[in-house]
Amino acid sequence: MTPGGGATCRHFHIGGECENCGNVVHIRRARRAKIAAQIERELPGLGDDERPRVLEERLREQAAIEVEDQVRRREQARAEKARHAEARTADQERAEREHAAAAAAETVRQALACEDCGQQQAGGLCEACGYQRRTEALIVEAGMVAATWSADLADQADIDAVAADVRASLAADIKRARRAFLDSAPPGELNADRIGAAAVLAFGALRMWRRRCRNSAAARWGAWD
Ligand SMILES: [Zn+2]
Ligand SMILES: [Zn+2]
């Protein structure tokens, strides 16, 4: 099977000697020899006139088995490919479903009103109230820091009293500053933006206060944090 003149062999090899065809010829010869030896072994008394017939018969059987094998392998490969395609489709569908669910959850989350002030579409907590909460947390922290400096640390009631005192005084300061900031707005301009700005300012002022506290505490004890 040496195709020439641009013809292709069954392996789509063009011109020259096809390695696969060469292999096929080699395999056929080897098989023929093997089956001939088998017949020799199994039927030693077979006459010379019978031998070629038996050989051809066995070769045909062998060829039929190989064709069946090939068909089965091809079908298995096709089924495997179909299974893979199915799994890939299922994966894609699951990813799309998860993406859609996440998007829906995010839409719902964004639509949630602010827990603190009820502002619509605030993602559960509006920016101003977020700052307000952080400010309140800072005030609590400030009360505890102040108590470690000036309270009698062996006296829980004293610690509580100092902390409460500092909390009350800071809260009042912030409320005053916030009021002043809001009052400085021209009438009619007291909108949500300005209220939000007041919350941010309060938080910023408190953070600065905390930094000062830490610096002076560090100076006093040589370390903090
Ligand atoms: Zn070939
Ligand atoms: Zn809010």
Side-chain angles (χ1 to χ4, degrees), residues 1 9-13 18 20-21:
M1 255 191 245
C9 73
R10 52 195 287 252
H11 307 106
F12 304 102
H13 182 87
C18 168
N20 284 317
C21 285

Side-chain angles (χ1 to χ4, degrees), residues 116-196:
D116 290 3
C117 75
Q119 185 189 302
Q120 294 299 305
Q121 301 284 325
L125 186 67
C126 78
E127 202 187 0
C129 292
Y131 276 110
Q132 183 65 35
R133 283 191 186 187
R134 290 163 75 186
T135 300
E136 279 157 17
L138 270 186
I139 288 174
V140 170
E141 185 192 324
M144 291 191 298
V145 170
T148 61
W149 294 347
S150 42
D152 175 358
L153 293 181
D155 182 350
Q156 186 62 45
D158 192 38
I159 292 173
D160 290 347
V162 170
D165 217 37
V166 170
R167 278 203 303 272
S169 125
L170 274 176
D173 281 355
I174 284 168
K175 200 171 173 187
R176 236 187 338 270
R178 187 178 142 86
R179 188 78 260 158
F181 178 76
L182 293 177
D183 285 349
S184 70
E189 267 190 32
L190 195 57
N191 53 27
D193 281 353
R194 199 154 175 85
I195 292 169

Side-chain angles (χ1 to χ4, degrees), residues 131 134-135 138-139 141-142 145 149 170 174 199-217 224:
Y131 276 110
R134 290 163 75 186
T135 300
L138 270 186
I139 288 174
E141 185 192 324
V145 170
W149 294 347
L170 274 176
I174 284 168
V200 174
L201 274 181
F203 178 73
L206 252 181
R207 244 208 335 223
M208 213 140 75
W209 181 87
R210 179 171 68 170
R211 205 172 305 130
R212 273 208 310 279
C213 282
R214 287 186 172 181
N215 288 343
S216 71
W224 182 263

Side-chain angles (χ1 to χ4, degrees), residues 12-53:
F12 304 102
H13 182 87
I14 301 171
E17 182 94 30
C18 168
E19 207 175 284
N20 284 317
C21 285
N23 286 340
V24 169
V25 169
H26 177 73
I27 288 167
R28 281 190 182 150
R29 275 194 199 126
R31 184 193 299 143
R32 209 180 173 85
K34 190 175 150 202
I35 290 177
Q38 228 169 46
I39 293 169
E40 190 66 41
R41 231 182 7 259
E42 290 170 13
L43 307 165
L46 203 62
D48 282 350
D49 49 338
E50 280 289 289
R51 201 182 307 278
R53 192 186 54 75

